[in-house]
Structures are given as structure tokens and as C-alpha cells.
Amino acid sequence: QVRLVESGGGVVQPGRSLRLSCSVSGLTFTNFGFHWVRQAPGKGLEWVAMIWHNGSKKYYADSVRGRATISRDDSTDTVYLQMNSLRAEDTATYFCGKDMGAGYVDSWGQGTLVTVSS
Amino acid sequence: EVVLTQSPATLSFSPGERATLSCRASQSISTYLAWYQQKPGQAPRLLIYESSIRATGIPARFSGSGSGTDFTLTISSLDPEDFGVYYCQDRSTWPLTFGGGTRVEI
């Protein structure tokens, strides 16, 4: 079955950088796009970024545009989210998700927690 | 950016009751709307997409309707396992957006 496993979260100081990884298995990786969605503690879902199946297009939320870069490595079936200039408001659980081909997420990882604090 | 407004924030029901959740878009989004369920400590689960199509494995008691700016998720007969927070999500334009969620208490 489809499995997505996020890693790379942790505690980071404001202004620093972090790279999140999402390892994908159980599907033909190059057939699908992927999303990052985050959830601040006790809050709702916030869509963050999406990369097309072939990596040709990338989209970002206004809150992270210019600070975040989504990428993919088709040789290792891994999706990345590079976050720079981290702020306290970036503190959240970050979920990786598979796009079903229409801008919806039909498979999710368990999430990785990022805490931005001095 | 499309703003999705879900109301009310919390609903309380007894098992077997019918639940109707609302999601309103700030502009017309055709039928480009999905519904997700999230339980505490878990990732969200896709229930409905394109306003009314049930995702794989979703029980028939879940149904979606609406187009344009007003959408509804209906749970025909609530099961105790249906508690959680329900989010709507728009895919009509970038950036994608989620509603603020409706908590369903059993």
C-alpha cells in the first residue's frame, strides 16, 4: 500500500533553516505530485506547497513563498521541503501528502513536528 | 486566494442523528471542493472530492453536495467513530486553501 514517511523535524532557532524529507513507497513515484500541509498546535490545516509529478511546476502558500523550496528526487522516491528564515509562526506538524491528480490529497504521512524557538 | 468559511465551529450530535456541515467560498469555485476528516493525533483522511464524489473506502453515509460558493457535507446517520474535525479544501486556484474546520462531537 501507499506509504509516506516524513522526517527532519525538530527544534530550530528563529532565522535558521531546516529540510524536511518525505520518503514514499508503494506507488510509481514519477506518476504523482506531492504536497506539504502543516498544522500549528491546536489549529487547523494550512496548505504549504505542491510539486508536479515531473517537477516542472511548484506552487507555494503566500506565508512561505520566498522562504520555502519544494523539490523531489526521483532516484530515491523522496520529496523535500527546504524552509529558510524560520519564524515562530512556522511551528507546526508538517504532513506530506500524495496528490490524487486533481489538487486533492488522498494519502498522507504521519507528520513531523517543527518547533521554532530560541 | 479563495477563503473558505466553515460554520459552526462545533456541532454536537447523538449517534444515529443526521449531521449537516457547511462550507462557504469567498468566490465561485465550481465543484472544486474536497472534505477531509481528522481525528486527534492522526493525519487527515480524504472523504469527498469534486464536491460530491466519495473517496475510496468511504462509507455511503457520507455525502457531499454544492457548487459555486455553498457546499454541504452530510453524514446521514452518525456513528461514534465519526467524531473529529472536518475540513473543506478548495483546488480551483493556487494557492490551495482549507477552511477553518468544524468539530463534530458525539
Side-chain angles (χ1 to χ4, degrees):
Chain A
Q1 75 278 21
V2 177
R3 189 165 185 238
L4 300 92
V5 179
E6 302 93 336
S7 60
V11 180
V12 60
Q13 293 179 329
R16 304 298 291 266
S17 300
L18 200 65
R19 188 178 79 161
L20 305 180
S21 302
C22 174
S23 178
V24 181
S25 60
L27 52 73
T28 303
F29 186 74
T30 52
N31 285 352
F32 297 97
F34 293 90
H35 300 259
W36 286 96
V37 175
R38 68 184 181 182
Q39 186 169 36
K43 302 299 184 182
L45 301 173
E46 179 187 14
W47 177 82
V48 175
M50 189 270 181
I51 185 168
W52 271 29
H53 64 97
N54 58 7
S56 64
K57 293 193 176 183
K58 304 174 184 181
Y59 302 95
Y60 298 93
D62 293 344
S63 58
V64 303
R65 187 175 292 113
R67 300 188 299 122
T69 302
I70 189 171
S71 61
R72 59 190 295 154
D73 184 342
D74 293 348
S75 68
T76 61
D77 292 1
T78 304
V79 184
Y80 299 100
L81 183 69
Q82 175 74 38
M83 292 284 294
N84 300 325
S85 302
L86 283 160
R87 307 165 180 168
E89 53 265 36
D90 295 318
T91 294
T93 296
Y94 286 72
F95 295 100
C96 173
K98 167 187 158 289
D99 187 81
M100 65 180 292
Y104 306 122
V105 182
D106 65 347
S107 295
W108 298 73
Q110 84 290 348
T112 187
L113 178 62
V114 173
T115 302
V116 183
S117 173
S118 55
Chain B
E1 174 177 317
V2 174
V3 177
L4 297 176
T5 302
Q6 294 187 243
S7 61
T10 303
L11 288 169
S12 298
F13 298 97
S14 298
E17 286 191 307
R18 180 184 185 91
T20 302
L21 283 64
S22 170
C23 178
R24 177 164 290 178
S26 59
Q27 63 193 64
S28 178
I29 59 171
S30 185
T31 57
Y32 300 141
L33 189 101
W35 292 93
Y36 299 83
Q37 176 196 62
Q38 187 180 33
K39 296 184 179 183
Q42 296 185 16
R45 177 174 69 148
L46 178 65
L47 300 175
I48 301 286
Y49 62 96
E50 298 295 62
S51 178
S52 62
I53 302 174
R54 269 192 306 277
T56 303
I58 301 303
R61 66 179 180 273
F62 291 93
S63 64
S65 64
S67 65
T69 60
D70 290 305
F71 300 86
T72 300
L73 174 70
T74 300
I75 310 172
S76 60
S77 178
L78 275 162
D79 188 278
E81 70 180 20
D82 296 334
F83 76 92
V85 183
Y86 290 79
Y87 296 95
C88 55
Q89 179 235 319
D90 158 63
R91 69 112 174 160
S92 67
T93 60
W94 301 99
L96 306 183
T97 55
F98 286 92
T102 291
R103 181 178 305 277
V104 172
E105 300 178 334
I106 305 295

